[in-house]
Amino acid sequence: MADLSKAGTYALGDKRVARVGYGAMQLAGPGVFGPPKDRETALSVLREAVAAGVNHIDTSDFYGPHIVNQLIREALHPYPDELVIVTKVGARRGPDGAWLPAQSPAELVRGVHDNLRNLGVDVLDVVNLRIIEQGSIVERFTALAELQRQGLIHHLGLSNVTAVQIKEAQRIAPVVCVQNHYNLVHRADDALINTLAEEGIAYVPFFPLGGFNRLQSEALETAARQHFLSPMQLALAWLLARSPNILLIPGTSNLAHLHQNLAVAGLALPEGVLSSIAHAVQQEAQ
């Protein structure tokens, strides 16, 4: 079993979590909609992740919708004291599975209560405001800050945001994490990661392996073969090495893939390997 402590920990609010966590999105059916093909395997993946030392799970009640949170509750409730469950609000699903914005204060409040109910908790550890409609986020973040003052949310975070929007939110309430699109190929947030690290704020890359379309790179595949790893393991290892405030949440609905993802915590690669891979992948993408 992987030793997650080898990758270290980082503060997520008032708790320190292992830097390799788990993203639960893929536990739903195709397109993150409907029930899983194999419910028992989905429950087993969650239980195995926590048994392996994962204490940071990323989810949302619009995964399914509702289904992923219900799986988490069935598999893990009552939750271990050290487990931090991070959820997000700001979207909803149409009857056909379409991803739709749910950004009004009333919709955000409803989303928080949906998460509370389906996770079976009185207080949510961390709630990320997922931005879909751009522009000022004052009204939206203020609505969540009010729920925090009411005691329904412990910590607040942001997802899919700019540096300007982060500063806007910080004038309203503390931000403990930022969840943006970032990986070996998509590196627009390089400067932002460094700034957040200086402020002690966790950065959680979504789509760390490319998202719905996996990272495709000849340079990455060649380097992975040389080190007897999968390309995805090497891509995750690069993220861990990129900055100490990066927390990984790779997702899977497969037990074997779960263990492959968690194994990156213990990887020891020769000095310079990861930086050369990053350079080669960027050159290839140009």
Side-chain angles (χ1 to χ4, degrees), residues 99 150 224:
W99 299 84
Q150 294 173 18

Side-chain angles (χ1 to χ4, degrees), residues 1-4 20-23 26-27 41-54 209 214 228-230 232-234 236-237 240 248-267:
M1 185 174 288
D3 183 358
L4 301 191
V20 180
Y22 174 71
Q26 293 186 31
L27 294 180
T41 296
L43 296 172
S44 295
V45 166
L46 285 163
R47 291 172 180 142
E48 187 71 8
V50 172
V54 167
L209 302 177
R214 289 263 171 165
F228 306 100
L229 300 170
S230 73
M232 299 304 102
Q233 285 178 310
L234 205 50
L236 291 173
L240 277 180
L248 299 185
I249 50 168
T252 182
S253 59
N254 179 285
L255 281 167
H257 290 163
L258 171 69
H259 287 292
Q260 288 176 7
N261 290 340
L262 299 183
V264 303
L267 291 183

Side-chain angles (χ1 to χ4, degrees), residues 102-115:
Q103 299 271 302
S104 71
E107 288 172 312
L108 295 174
V109 170
R110 184 160 56 247
V112 166
H113 283 279
D114 285 344
N115 278 280

Side-chain angles (χ1 to χ4, degrees), residues 32-162:
V32 201
F33 192 71
K37 181 178 180 180
D38 186 334
R39 185 180 184 84
E40 289 306 312
T41 296
L43 296 172
S44 295
V45 166
L46 285 163
R47 291 172 180 142
E48 187 71 8
V50 172
V54 167
N55 57 3
H56 170 206
I57 292 177
D58 180 82
T59 185
S60 176
D61 208 62
F62 53 73
Y63 294 164
H66 315 307
I67 289 166
V68 169
N69 277 354
Q70 291 167 359
L71 288 169
I72 291 172
R73 180 177 183 175
E74 181 176 346
L76 302 175
H77 195 278
Y79 304 113
D81 290 341
E82 65 275 13
L83 179 64
V84 177
I85 298 177
V86 179
T87 190
K88 64 186 73 64
V89 293
R92 62 183 178 87
R93 307 302 294 278
D96 60 350
W99 299 84
L100 304 171
Q103 299 271 302
S104 71
E107 288 172 312
L108 295 174
V109 170
R110 184 160 56 247
V112 166
H113 283 279
D114 285 344
N115 278 280
L116 288 165
R117 181 179 63 256
N118 285 308
L119 286 171
V121 295
D122 296 323
V123 183
L124 296 170
D125 295 329
V126 183
V127 174
N128 285 329
L129 172 60
R130 167 73 175 186
I131 297 302
I132 295 177
E133 299 169 347
Q134 296 299 316
S136 172
I137 64 171
V138 167
E139 184 181 34
R140 288 170 277 181
F141 200 71
T142 298
L144 294 184
E146 175 57 32
L147 295 179
Q148 184 183 40
R149 285 190 287 271
Q150 294 173 18
L152 298 180
I153 300 171
H154 199 183
H155 296 293
L156 295 172
L158 295 164
S159 178
N160 199 37
V161 287
T162 66

